[in-house]
Amino acid sequence: MERTLAIIKPDAVRAKNAGKIIDRIEQEGFSIVGMRKVQLSTQQAEDFYAVHKGKPFLPELVAFMTAGPVIVMALEKPNAIQAWRDLMGPTNPANAGANTLRKLYGTDIGSNATHGSDAPATAAQEITFFFPELK
Ligand code: GDP
């Protein structure tokens, strides 16, 4: 079993696509081991995306991620990190395959509906960031 951190981003929450995304998560065999709706502060978004410090798109990313509530989830399944990234599709919805979450619910490279951890170390760090009670 493996865990990953998934976020339904403000664009998808605002568009009321969260239910469809959560339904898909369950259909694809993930277990939701933690779930919360959160309004991120600027500081929290900057801390969460610290790896992107110095990138030109960081201010835009922080503004987007704090524009409304997000739904954060810890998901569990064998090979969860890659399985969730496959289900999301690539960063830019324009390049995403049919039936991926970013193709279905994303708009552009900034407003791309979902987040997923990219490796075991970042998954552990990101899960602890939102769910310190999950060990
Ligand atoms: P991910 O792992 O597919 O989410 O992609 P990255 O780790 O490369 O980037 C993190 C997030 O930053 C993406 O999901 C986008 O929301 C945002 N992002 C990445 N590149 C750009 C960009 O060129 N412009 C903007 N506005 N946002 C970007």
Side-chain angles (χ1 to χ4, degrees):
M1 276 298 168
E2 187 176 69
R3 287 180 179 178
T4 193
L5 192 277
I7 304 180
I8 303 176
K9 293 184 176 183
D11 56 334
V13 173
R14 191 182 313 112
K16 302 216 181 283
N17 288 322
K20 281 170 271 189
I21 292 171
I22 292 165
D23 186 39
R24 187 74 184 279
I25 285 169
E26 293 195 314
Q27 277 180 28
E28 300 282 344
F30 293 91
S31 295
I32 301 170
V33 298
M35 176 158 70
R36 278 179 35 232
K37 191 173 190 182
V38 219
Q39 171 64 55
L40 294 178
S41 66
T42 297
Q43 187 65 59
Q44 279 176 310
E46 284 174 350
D47 289 349
F48 183 76
Y49 282 115
V51 64
H52 293 304
K53 201 163 190 246
K55 301 245 178 86
F57 62 80
L58 183 65
E60 204 178 320
L61 175 58
V62 168
F64 166 64
M65 289 299 289
T66 57
V70 298
I71 295 173
V72 294
M73 288 169 287
L75 304 182
E76 189 173 81
K77 166 178 172 157
N79 199 25
I81 295 169
Q82 191 57 49
W84 174 243
R85 291 187 72 84
D86 290 347
L87 181 55
M88 291 197 298
T91 311
N92 189 342
N95 302 327
N99 217 24
T100 61
L101 296 175
R102 282 169 164 171
K103 174 62 94 187
L104 291 168
Y105 306 118
T107 307
D108 55 43
I109 194 167
S111 302
N112 58 2
T114 54
H115 166 87
S117 310
D118 64 0
T122 40
Q125 193 185 339
E126 291 179 0
I127 289 170
T128 300
F129 187 92
F130 286 110
F131 302 100
E133 71 279 16
L134 290 179
K135 283 278 179 319

